[in-house]
Amino acid sequence: MDPVRNPFAPGAGNRPPELAGRELILQDAQVAIQRALLGKPSRSQMLLGLRGVGKTVLLNKIEWMAEAAGHVTSSIEAPEGKALSELLVPKINQALRKLSTSENAKAKTHQALRALRSFASAFKLSYGEASISVDPEVGVADSGDMEADLPELFVRVGEAAKSAGKAWTLLIDEVQYLRSKDLAALIVALHKVNQRDLPVLFFGAGLPQVAALSGDAKSYAERLFHYPAVGALEAEDVETAIRQPIEAEGKWIDDNAIQEILLRTKGYPYFLQEWGYQCWSLAEGPRIQLEDASKAAGEAIKRLDEGFFKVRFDRLTPKEREYVMAMAKLGAGPYRSSDIADALKETHQSLGPRRAQIISKGMIYSPSHGDIAFTVPLFNEYLVRNYVQKPSKA
């Protein structure tokens, strides 16, 4: 088929042609967005899921929905090791500039900018010093204590948004990379604006361990957020995600081809995009058949191994690779930490630092006490395929 018309585009954060199976999450987000504009409280959302399930796509969609409804939005991807204060200052500055165009909000926006200048100065952020041309507000958001200052700053932003008749929506991807003190401060700040009934919403996305990290940071986090699980798609949603984009281009796909794709991908959205892309590329006529779906596996797996899986494996040290390969040798997860220790002939305690480092890199997580699982779907199969049982060169 015509490669230019291929509706599938596998890639990080690329929106699939059909957002199947996520209707409830988006409906809840839409309700929260509309309630915020009416001054009614709503719990923010923290989307949780493994790699490649479409969390970033959902955040992007929610941001678009919020902007369409009249919210001012600030979107951040949290990198490893970077302070939240450094990420927030330019984004909040930009949001306040937008709010300042409302005549009714000029006074409150000016107050918020002064608080932002205080905050930037307290945390010695050069961006804020250079770009925020107002005097700092002494005694507001200037203690240098993130947990004390961020709530004061968020309140000022919320008050500016309320005066403008708008709402402010903050979106943060890769929440698991936030420092524990920063995550605690963010939770306190969101709690404070909720208590003040200010039009501020938060949507986050991260790996499954974020729920536990939030609870450890502040015990009331479970009451502050919804934690929608973003996982593999059900069979009927897989069919929708594959069939509708193909038929929208005036082509067809056989039922048994869809079943083959479901079997190979286990319903994970990123893999569906890869298989759909390859099926379209292989099909010679206007219909994708079972043979095309079966042939697609070779190229799809090759591309996943060279990209999606490899970039993650390459981040690990030799000792960390040894750990994850020991996991893969045990079969499908989750895995008992004690079984991994036995396989490596070490103690559970001695492996603790190594395990913690791999968790911090976002490669594994603990779904329950004593258990470990991969954050990347089908990663165990990749390791077995490429490292544990390498084919003989004979």
Side-chain angles (χ1 to χ4, degrees):
M1 294 188 197
D2 182 0
V4 175
R5 304 296 302 179
N6 194 330
F8 302 100
N14 288 353
R15 183 179 175 181
E18 180 64 35
L19 257 178
R22 308 305 189 203
E23 294 83 5
L24 288 178
I25 292 174
L26 293 175
Q27 287 172 14
D28 286 347
Q30 186 65 265
V31 168
I33 288 166
Q34 296 297 335
R35 284 178 63 86
L37 291 171
L38 297 174
K40 297 180 180 295
S42 279
R43 279 202 286 177
S44 295
Q45 290 187 13
M46 192 81 81
L47 310 178
L48 304 181
L50 302 179
R51 298 291 187 191
V53 295
K55 301 184 299 297
T56 300
V57 169
L58 283 170
L59 273 192
N60 291 340
K61 174 67 173 178
I62 291 169
E63 181 178 20
W64 178 88
M65 290 163 52
E67 288 178 346
H71 288 225
V72 173
T73 66
S74 301
S75 182
I76 292 170
E77 179 178 339
E80 294 179 69
K82 198 165 186 178
L84 180 60
S85 56
E86 187 177 351
L87 298 170
L88 280 174
V89 167
K91 295 293 185 178
I92 292 178
N93 185 31
Q94 183 181 53
L96 291 173
R97 296 297 182 189
K98 292 178 181 178
L99 291 171
S100 68
T101 60
S102 168
E103 198 63 37
N104 294 333
K106 287 192 179 297
K108 289 294 185 181
T109 300
H110 184 73
Q111 288 181 358
L113 283 167
R114 292 186 65 195
L116 181 62
R117 178 65 183 275
S118 297
F119 182 84
S121 299
F123 289 93
K124 299 179 174 58
L125 300 173
S126 58
Y127 179 98
E129 291 286 355
S131 305
I132 306 171
S133 54
V134 297
D135 293 329
E137 184 175 358
V138 178
V140 175
D142 62 358
S143 72
D145 180 344
M146 187 70 166
E147 198 167 309
D149 294 344
L150 194 62
E152 292 184 338
L153 178 58
F154 273 36
V155 166
R156 289 289 195 275
V157 178
E159 289 172 344
K162 185 175 182 178
S163 296
K166 293 182 176 292
W168 177 50
T169 292
L170 173 64
L171 307 101
I172 300 182
D173 201 0
E174 303 286 10
V175 173
Q176 73 277 354
Y177 290 139
L178 292 180
R179 300 172 183 177
S180 58
K181 289 183 178 180
D182 286 348
L183 179 58
L186 175 64
I187 293 169
V188 173
L190 293 169
H191 192 215
K192 178 63 70 175
V193 293
N194 275 7
Q195 290 174 324
R196 299 284 184 92
D197 291 329
L198 293 171
V200 174
L201 275 181
F202 172 78
F203 294 92
L207 296 175
Q209 64 261 37
V210 167
L213 293 173
S214 300
D216 290 343
K218 291 295 171 184
S219 60
Y220 55 77
E222 64 181 30
R223 303 190 300 276
L224 191 63
F225 301 120
H226 285 301
Y227 291 97
V230 185
L233 299 181
E234 299 292 337
E236 62 186 65
D237 295 320
V238 168
E239 180 173 358
T240 300
I242 293 295
R243 188 184 297 281
Q244 285 195 4
I246 292 170
E247 293 185 349
E249 293 292 339
K251 310 299 181 183
W252 299 271
I253 182 168
D254 292 343
D255 290 345
N256 53 8
I258 291 178
Q259 289 304 311
E260 175 71 7
I261 293 171
L262 173 60
L263 178 67
R264 295 281 192 165
T265 64
K266 295 182 171 58
Y268 285 103
Y270 186 90
F271 302 156
L272 289 174
Q273 292 299 303
E274 188 64 67
W275 253 261
Y277 180 87
Q278 297 302 332
C279 285
W280 179 281
S281 298
L282 286 168
E284 295 181 357
R287 181 181 296 277
I288 296 172
Q289 302 177 359
L290 174 60
E291 182 182 2
D292 300 316
S294 298
K295 286 181 179 177
E299 189 61 30
I301 290 172
K302 179 182 176 184
R303 280 169 52 113
L304 288 167
D305 283 0
E306 292 176 351
F308 185 79
F309 292 125
K310 186 177 185 297
V311 295
R312 290 161 172 82
F313 185 71
D314 285 350
R315 297 184 65 229
L316 302 177
T317 67
K319 280 294 186 181
E320 291 165 354
R321 293 178 184 181
E322 181 184 69
Y323 188 96
V324 298
M325 283 192 279
M327 292 171 62
K329 289 177 183 178
L330 294 172
Y335 313 90
R336 297 296 297 173
S337 294
S338 56
D339 290 340
I340 301 168
D342 289 344
L344 293 172
K345 295 181 171 54
E346 296 193 43
T347 66
H348 173 74
Q349 291 76 14
S350 68
L351 288 172
R354 196 188 316 181
R355 181 172 57 250
Q357 190 60 30
I358 305 172
I359 290 174
S360 73
K361 290 183 177 181
M363 284 299 305
I364 61 175
Y365 74 106
S366 177
S368 59
H369 182 70
D371 285 346
I372 291 293
F374 288 114
T375 62
V376 181
L378 310 185
F379 195 69
N380 61 310
E381 295 180 15
Y382 161 75
L383 293 175
V384 169
R385 189 165 57 240
N386 289 279
Y387 299 99
V388 176
Q389 294 179 355
K390 296 190 74 171
S392 172
K393 294 182 180 180

